[in-house]
């Protein structure tokens, strides 16, 4: 199931580690979707964009795979919008319980909730681009 294990201390260390890692994943993929939308709306070649991202210092297996899905318009779920939104809520609850600010997570929550309302709950998390596109279409540029 995974390439290795990492001890995370006493309970609930592993759960909190999972939430912290998922926070990074959610914000990273949301940023990738927004960057792809920006590139597309400026007429950039998306395959070239993905190749540049994949060769840069921010590249990871996840970013390469998700960029490829965005370029190909492949929204088959690996991590569905509805599941990501549920994880986002769990992370936000844990943050609030400790009084931890999570402003990027809050923005992502709004985007994933909007994507779900648009009817894309069963699609992959990269479908968050649909909420970003909808905001552009409505002229909501903030």
């Amino acid at each position: 199931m995974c390439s290795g294990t990492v001890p995370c201390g006493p309970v609930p260390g592993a759960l909190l580690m999972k939430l912290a890692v998922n926070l990074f994943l959610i914000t990273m993929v949301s940023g990738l979707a927004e960057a792809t939308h920006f590139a597309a709306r400026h007429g950039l070649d998306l395959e070239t964009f993905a190749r540049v991202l994949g060769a840069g210092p921010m590249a990871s297996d996840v970013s390469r795979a998700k960029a490829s899905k965005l370029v190909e318009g492949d929204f088959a779920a690996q991590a569905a919008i509805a599941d990501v939104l549920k994880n986002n809520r769990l992370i936000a609850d844990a943050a609030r319980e400790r009084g931890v600010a999570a402003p990027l997570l809050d923005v992502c929550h709004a985007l994933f909730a909007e994507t779900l309302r648009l009817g894309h709950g069963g699609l992959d998390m990269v479908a968050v681009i649909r909420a970003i596109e909808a905001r552009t279409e409505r002229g909501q540029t903030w």
Side-chain angles (χ1 to χ4, degrees):
M1 292 185 71
C2 62
S3 62
T5 59
V6 177
C8 297
V11 173
L15 173 62
L16 294 170
M17 185 68 70
K18 177 186 181 338
L19 295 178
V21 168
N22 279 339
L23 191 158
F24 179 62
L25 173 67
I26 291 167
T27 57
M28 177 185 70
V29 173
S30 297
L32 176 62
E34 185 173 329
T36 302
H37 177 69
F38 178 91
R41 293 296 171 124
H42 283 86
L44 298 176
D45 179 77
L46 293 184
E47 289 182 13
T48 302
F49 171 68
R51 198 168 66 247
V52 169
L53 283 178
M58 298 168 292
S60 68
D61 291 341
V62 171
S63 69
R64 285 185 197 94
K66 296 302 185 184
S68 179
K69 288 178 80 60
L70 284 162
V71 168
E72 296 167 10
D74 172 12
F75 296 120
Q78 293 171 323
I81 291 289
D83 294 331
V84 173
L85 184 58
K86 178 188 72 171
N87 286 330
N88 191 304
R89 282 188 198 115
L90 292 171
I91 299 163
D93 290 346
R96 289 180 191 16
E97 198 173 280
R98 279 288 178 106
V100 174
L104 295 178
L105 186 67
D106 293 339
V107 169
C108 292
H109 183 274
L111 286 169
F112 279 90
E114 187 174 337
T115 307
L116 184 69
R117 283 192 303 275
L118 290 169
H120 304 301
L123 300 181
D124 189 75
M125 67 188 301
V126 298
V128 73
I129 198 170
R130 296 299 186 226
I132 297 166
E133 291 167 342
R135 287 181 181 200
T136 296
E137 295 304 317
R138 291 192 307 265
Q140 184 180 349
T141 58
W142 42 269

